Amino acid sequence: MTSTVRRLLLIVAVLFAPLVQSPATAAAESAAQQKCLGAVDKGFAGVSKAEGKAALGCIKAAASGDLAPATVAGCITADAKQKIAGAQAKAKSTIAKACTIQPDFGVTDLTGATTAAAAGGQRAALLQKFFGPAIEDALATKADDATAAACQRALATAIDRCWTAHVAAFAACVSGGLATSINDAAALGACRDSDPDGAVSAACDTNVQDAVATRCQGVDLGARLPGCQCQTTSECIRARTANSFNAALGAAANLPEAALVRPYARRVQENVGEAWVSPVYGDYVASRIVGREEDAPLACPLGAVNIYTVQDAMADSQYNSAILPLLLSQGIRILFAPGVPGDVTGSSPAALVQGTQAMPLYGSADDFLHLSTRSEVFPLVDLKHRQVGDTLHFGFEHCLYNCDAIYAFHAIPPIEFGTRLLVIHVSAARSTLEDAVAPLAAEAAMRTGVELRWVGRTVGDFHLELTDGSNVQAFHALEADGTVIYELDPSVNPATDVLTLPALSAFLAQTTNDAVVLLN
């Protein structure tokens, strides 16, 4: 950004990276090459098993107050019984003996050192995703809270079983496919998604849910499993374990980078065929909100952000009069300001043309999915499409500022953020948005007539699950990574009094694709 005052339409930029594929006629690897690839898989599994067992032993020791060294990560690394070191040595020996011929893909280091190193050091990093950087700080001891300690051991065991299920499923896929369908790195990498008998789903979903139900009753999981705050425990464990496994295996076997496994909330559609999308997509069986990151806080309150460039006053009125009662009946509140759109740069047309800035604040992703699948909503679906056409961009934002006060406010009618809002949609890195909150708030507090009302980060998108199992976006994804909203007194000039503020200017200098709109 070279100028503080910017007005740019949010533009979809979809980049398709070409996939490098071997010819369909590529021959299968030779028996010797297959043996080498199998040895890498076996070596990775052996080190993973040893490290998983050591990690669970350290968790148990922490619960008993016998942890040595003083941290769980240190305990795992110390490898007191030398089981991890032994597994690594065995992996290197096995790979070195088996890899007499370089495979065409999947292995570059025939000594086994790369595989042994990539397989090691994973459990501490994985547990830190769930329990925090200092794992032991989140762990209860039997003496202090036996129930919580038992719950955490059960969850740690579930995490280990989830990882182990991924290892086994990958091994089975590779074993069955090397002689036939696996003839390049992409096909080998695809085995990371294999789950033909449902063992991965059982371990990473059903088993976790069972652990929570049977071992964690009455336990504050937000405190005892802090890495999964604002996520359901099973979704948190499923996504993060898969991503950690994929990264480790990718490094061990020189595989293409795997797509990020994202958490999601899902609700079965009762009236199949009542389309939220163009009929070209066909029938669908469930609605989903899919997180943009592996830690997307879908179980916490979410603001639903709509951006569109078509106006139809009658359609607006009909839609809002029908939807508002449904929202209120579910206890959903709305942050909004009625107004006429204006562009702070003075040019025309405005970057975004909206009659109001309306943000329903849902209690969670499930709260929205309950609304979206209600039968009362279906007659309004066509109206929604007719109202905004193909211009609607839609997504869910997680509150980053003054959230407790916003969540605690339960007045009816819904919250009104005044009648004059400066709305700024931006594209920015997550850290840029999070780091900007404190200086933006402090700066606004020093300015008369300027109040910071909302800072949100986009964390999820609305998807539909079709009858063939595929997923499509219900509407265009919200292109903004976040939104900042100020309430302004009538005397405040947004261009000269707000957009020139040092902290806001510094923040905007780190963002792109901004849309700046004044609602009067």
Side-chain angles (χ1 to χ4, degrees):
M1 256 326 281
T2 59
S3 172
T4 301
V5 181
R6 296 161 294 181
R7 182 186 127 328
L8 298 176
L9 288 173
L10 294 174
I11 301 172
V12 176
V14 182
L15 303 178
F16 293 95
L19 296 176
V20 179
Q21 295 181 333
S22 299
T25 55
E29 297 290 89
S30 68
Q33 290 172 316
Q34 291 181 37
K35 183 179 180 181
C36 177
L37 291 169
V40 170
D41 184 27
K42 184 177 180 180
F44 180 88
V47 177
S48 288
K49 181 178 180 180
E51 193 172 45
K53 187 174 182 179
L56 290 177
C58 292
I59 293 287
K60 183 177 180 180
S64 300
D66 300 325
L67 185 62
T71 68
V72 171
C75 172
I76 298 172
T77 303
D79 189 20
K81 297 181 179 180
Q82 292 296 292
K83 296 293 186 180
I84 301 173
Q88 288 178 315
K90 184 176 181 180
K92 286 187 281 188
S93 174
T94 300
I95 293 170
K97 289 179 181 179
C99 293
T100 57
I101 298 179
Q102 175 78 52
D104 295 320
F105 55 87
V107 180
T108 55
D109 177 11
L110 303 188
T111 69
T114 298
T115 297
Q122 298 300 320
R123 282 305 197 281
L126 180 61
L127 289 173
Q128 284 170 333
K129 283 189 173 185
F130 299 110
F131 295 105
I135 300 168
E136 56 284 345
D137 288 349
L139 295 179
T141 64
K142 293 179 181 178
D144 292 335
D145 191 334
T147 300
C151 167
Q152 289 174 317
R153 290 199 306 276
L155 292 176
T157 301
I159 292 167
D160 182 71
R161 289 176 178 172
C162 179
W163 179 286
T164 300
H166 278 290
V167 172
F170 179 82
C173 177
V174 172
S175 176
L178 276 176
T180 54
S181 58
I182 299 177
N183 53 18
D184 61 18
L188 181 63
C191 278
R192 288 176 292 198
D193 299 324
S194 178
D195 189 22
D197 59 0
V200 174
S201 294
C204 302
D205 188 1
T206 306
N207 183 56
V208 175
Q209 293 182 39
D210 288 346
V212 172
T214 60
R215 306 299 296 275
C216 298
Q217 289 296 315
V219 175
D220 180 2
L221 290 177
R224 297 305 186 181
L225 199 68
C228 291
Q229 287 187 27
C230 291
Q231 290 186 286
T232 60
T233 305
S234 59
E235 271 301 287
C236 177
I237 290 176
R238 179 190 70 85
R240 296 193 188 192
T241 303
N243 289 325
S244 294
F245 168 78
N246 287 344
L249 186 62
N254 192 34
L255 299 178
E257 184 177 356
L260 184 70
V261 178
R262 308 171 192 272
Y264 64 85
R266 179 179 182 271
R267 189 180 181 93
V268 173
Q269 200 74 33
E270 295 180 3
N271 295 31
V272 174
E274 294 285 356
W276 274 91
V277 295
S278 169
V280 70
Y281 288 130
D283 292 346
Y284 65 104
V285 296
S287 293
R288 293 187 178 203
I289 295 180
V290 180
R292 292 192 176 187
E293 303 152 338
E294 70 170 9
D295 62 344
L298 302 185
C300 273
L302 300 173
V305 178
N306 296 266
I307 300 177
Y308 51 87
T309 57
V310 171
Q311 287 295 289
D312 184 331
M314 182 176 294
D316 274 340
S317 176
Q318 290 177 324
Y319 187 83
N320 291 335
S321 64
I323 286 293
L324 183 57
L326 298 182
L327 291 169
L328 298 182
S329 72
Q330 280 189 211
I332 298 164
R333 293 170 295 110
I334 302 175
L335 285 57
F336 77 102
V340 177
D343 183 355
V344 298
T345 64
S347 59
S348 181
L352 299 176
V353 184
Q354 288 180 255
T356 62
Q357 172 68 32
M359 184 186 295
L361 188 64
Y362 295 90
S364 65
D366 285 334
D367 211 11
F368 171 82
L369 294 176
H370 175 56
L371 177 75
S372 71
T373 55
R374 289 177 64 170
S375 60
E376 301 98 317
V377 172
F378 295 134
L380 302 168
V381 171
D382 181 62
L383 176 62
K384 183 71 172 179
H385 282 282
R386 194 165 66 246
Q387 172 196 359
V388 299
D390 195 41
T391 70
L392 177 64
H393 291 257
F394 181 70
F396 296 90
E397 290 192 354
H398 176 57
C399 175
L400 298 178
Y401 169 69
N402 199 31
C403 305
D404 290 342
I406 291 174
Y407 298 160
F409 197 101
H410 291 289
I412 298 295
I415 302 173
E416 291 191 25
F417 278 174
T419 58
R420 195 166 186 253
L421 294 185
L422 180 64
V423 182
I424 307 172
H425 299 291
V426 300
S427 294
R430 173 176 178 173
S431 59
T432 299
L433 283 162
E434 293 175 341
D435 293 346
V437 175
L440 290 180
E443 183 175 70
M446 299 297 292
R447 297 289 300 183
T448 302
V450 177
E451 188 170 358
L452 184 62
R453 285 295 198 174
W454 173 269
V455 181
R457 179 172 61 86
T458 308
V459 296
D461 299 295
F462 183 28
H463 286 224
L464 298 176
E465 182 181 319
L466 306 185
T467 53
D468 64 359
S470 62
N471 284 268
V472 296
Q473 291 271 9
F475 303 110
H476 295 302
L478 184 65
E479 296 154 34
D481 294 315
T483 301
V484 178
I485 300 178
Y486 291 92
E487 183 179 356
L488 309 180
D489 283 354
S491 61
V492 174
N493 184 310
T496 60
D497 298 337
V498 182
L499 292 173
T500 56
L501 292 172
L504 179 57
S505 297
F507 167 64
L508 292 178
Q510 302 176 67
T511 68
T512 59
N513 293 344
D514 299 7
V516 183
V517 178
L518 179 68
L519 294 170
N520 283 302

